[in-house]
Each structure stands twice: as structure tokens, then as C-alpha cells.
Amino acid sequence: MTGLIDFLVELRKNNNREWFQAHKGEYDALRTQFIADVEQLIARLATYDEELRGLRVEDCIYRIYRDIRFSPDKTPYKTYFSAYIARGGKKSPRAGYYLHIEPGNVALSGGIWCPDTRLIKALRQAIYDNLDEWQSIVEAPQFIQNYPTFVGETLKMTPRDFPKEGDHTKWVKRKDYTVWGLQTDDFISRPDWIEQAAQKLLLIKPMNDFLNYTVDELSY
């Protein structure tokens, strides 16, 4: 992905249609390479995660164009490339793997982001009912080493369906179950970065399997 970070740095400085159109050829070449790289990443992940087999790369990659209709920020372009790899693609409610490439914020991520009300309630209950199993996954040393941070919002108070105190409280307060593993900007310039990314992302698979058990129970 040589040149992508540099392009995104310049786009951040010149987030307007005139600059983007003048550099459209460069963008098209970088996006074509990104699609090819994500396709390879899917193939590597699918070797160990069977539910990704047959997944189309086109269903996983996000557009660079921002939806500015209801946003006070009227800049037209995202300043990052990203892809969500899960059965059903980027619109899937399933736990999956997320690749985010942004200057100063290159990250490997995964889990479930912004589940609807029915799903978040079911996920909280599943974690409460199987707390030892959940903790054995997300508190494993190798997992924490690569994914030290859960991101997203949390409730201020423990939901009323659960005891107010205990090891479960920090988990049932969560509105998202998503981990974030920050990488250096030069990560995507390494010759074997796709293989490295696959190995790191597959550390999330046990957590995804745990979460997707509940997704499947709800028949999404």
C-alpha cells in the first residue's frame, strides 16, 4: 500500500472536490490496490474462519464519500480507507474483522459495533450467563497484548436486569463489543503486512464466535 498514507495526509489538508478530482487517478490506483489487498486478507482469514468463505470483497469495502446530508461537517471525503469483513459484508449485524487505514490511526479491529436494542440486551445476558468463558477470551494475555482497548460507549449505570456489583458490571454496561489494535503507519508498507494482519485479526475469532452464537440465536 505504498503511497496510501501520503495520499490520505494530503486529502486531510485538501478535503474538497477540486483537489480530489485533480488527484482522482491516484485515488483510483490506490483503491484498486486496496481492493486487491483486502481480497487477499479475506482469503487468508477464510482459511481459519469458514463463514467467510465465498465472501465478496465488494461487500466489505466502505466508500470514501461521506454522507453529509445531516452532518455539520460538510467535508466531502473520509480521510481513511476501511473494510468490514464478516458474513454478509459491511451491513451485517455479525461480529467480524475491521481494517482501518488512516494517518496516525492504522488499526486492526473486530467485534460488534452499534448492535440494535434487541441484540445488545441479548449480548449482555450472554456475557453475564457465561462470564468465565467471556473473561477467558478477552483477558487472555495474547489477546490483551494485541487488543488492549475496547472502544465505544458505555452506560453510566449497570442495567437494571443485572446485579449492581461484580466482575460482570463493566461488561454489561457496554453499548459495543469492539476491540481496537493500533498499528504504526508503516505497518501497511511491510512486504508481509497482509499475513501479519490475518494472524492478528484471527486472535479476535474466539470473541467473534462467542458474540455470533447470540446473533445466530436471534436469527439475524
Side-chain angles (χ1 to χ4, degrees):
M1 295 295 289
T2 303
L4 177 54
I5 293 293
D6 292 339
F7 175 85
L8 293 171
V9 167
E10 291 304 312
L11 177 59
R12 183 181 288 174
K13 297 176 183 176
N14 304 278
N15 199 329
N16 58 75
R17 289 179 176 83
E18 292 76 18
W19 185 90
F20 190 82
Q21 288 303 314
H23 295 81
K24 186 65 163 49
E26 183 180 0
Y27 164 75
D28 288 341
L30 290 168
R31 180 172 171 80
T32 297
Q33 183 60 55
F34 182 66
I35 290 171
D37 288 346
V38 173
E39 192 167 34
Q40 289 186 50
L41 181 58
I42 292 171
R44 282 167 169 75
L45 293 172
T47 301
Y48 301 95
D49 192 337
E50 294 183 0
E51 73 170 52
L52 301 181
R53 293 176 184 175
L55 181 62
R56 300 192 319 156
V57 66
E58 295 85 358
D59 294 330
C60 300
I61 294 178
Y62 291 95
R63 289 160 46 89
I64 200 169
Y65 305 99
R66 295 183 63 248
D67 183 351
I68 60 175
R69 292 173 297 173
F70 307 108
S71 174
D73 178 3
K74 298 303 181 183
T75 51
Y77 307 106
K78 301 171 185 174
T79 55
Y80 56 88
F81 278 26
S82 59
Y84 186 62
I85 301 170
R87 192 176 80 199
K90 58 181 177 287
K91 296 182 179 180
S92 172
R94 302 182 68 75
Y97 312 92
Y98 178 67
L99 171 64
H100 186 93
I101 299 177
E102 179 179 16
N105 194 26
V106 174
L108 302 173
S109 174
I112 291 181
W113 181 256
C114 290
D116 63 30
T117 301
R118 185 170 71 114
L119 181 53
I120 190 62
K121 287 182 177 180
L123 291 172
R124 288 170 180 158
Q125 189 66 53
I127 290 172
Y128 178 76
D129 291 342
N130 303 277
L131 184 61
D132 288 345
E133 179 184 355
W134 173 255
Q135 289 179 318
S136 72
I137 294 169
V138 300
E139 295 178 3
Q142 191 176 23
F143 187 93
I144 292 176
Q145 180 181 352
N146 285 273
Y147 300 100
T149 306
F150 273 79
V151 293
E153 298 183 0
T154 60
L155 299 171
K156 292 182 180 180
M157 304 291 291
T158 303
R160 61 185 178 182
D161 296 333
F162 303 98
K164 300 300 180 186
E165 295 184 0
D167 292 343
H168 65 280
T169 56
K170 70 175 183 179
W171 299 115
V172 299
K173 287 179 181 179
R174 296 212 60 83
K175 294 183 180 181
D176 311 279
Y177 293 102
T178 304
V179 291
W180 196 259
L182 193 63
Q183 313 296 317
T184 58
D185 282 4
D186 67 354
F187 177 77
I188 59 169
S189 299
R190 300 173 189 172
D192 63 342
W193 82 267
I194 296 173
E195 183 60 38
Q196 286 189 39
Q199 292 176 10
K200 289 175 180 288
L201 286 170
L202 285 168
L203 295 173
I204 304 174
K205 184 179 184 298
M207 184 185 77
N208 284 347
D209 290 344
F210 181 104
L211 297 171
N212 281 332
Y213 182 84
T214 297
V215 176
D216 289 335
E217 281 193 322
L218 295 180
S219 300
Y220 275 88

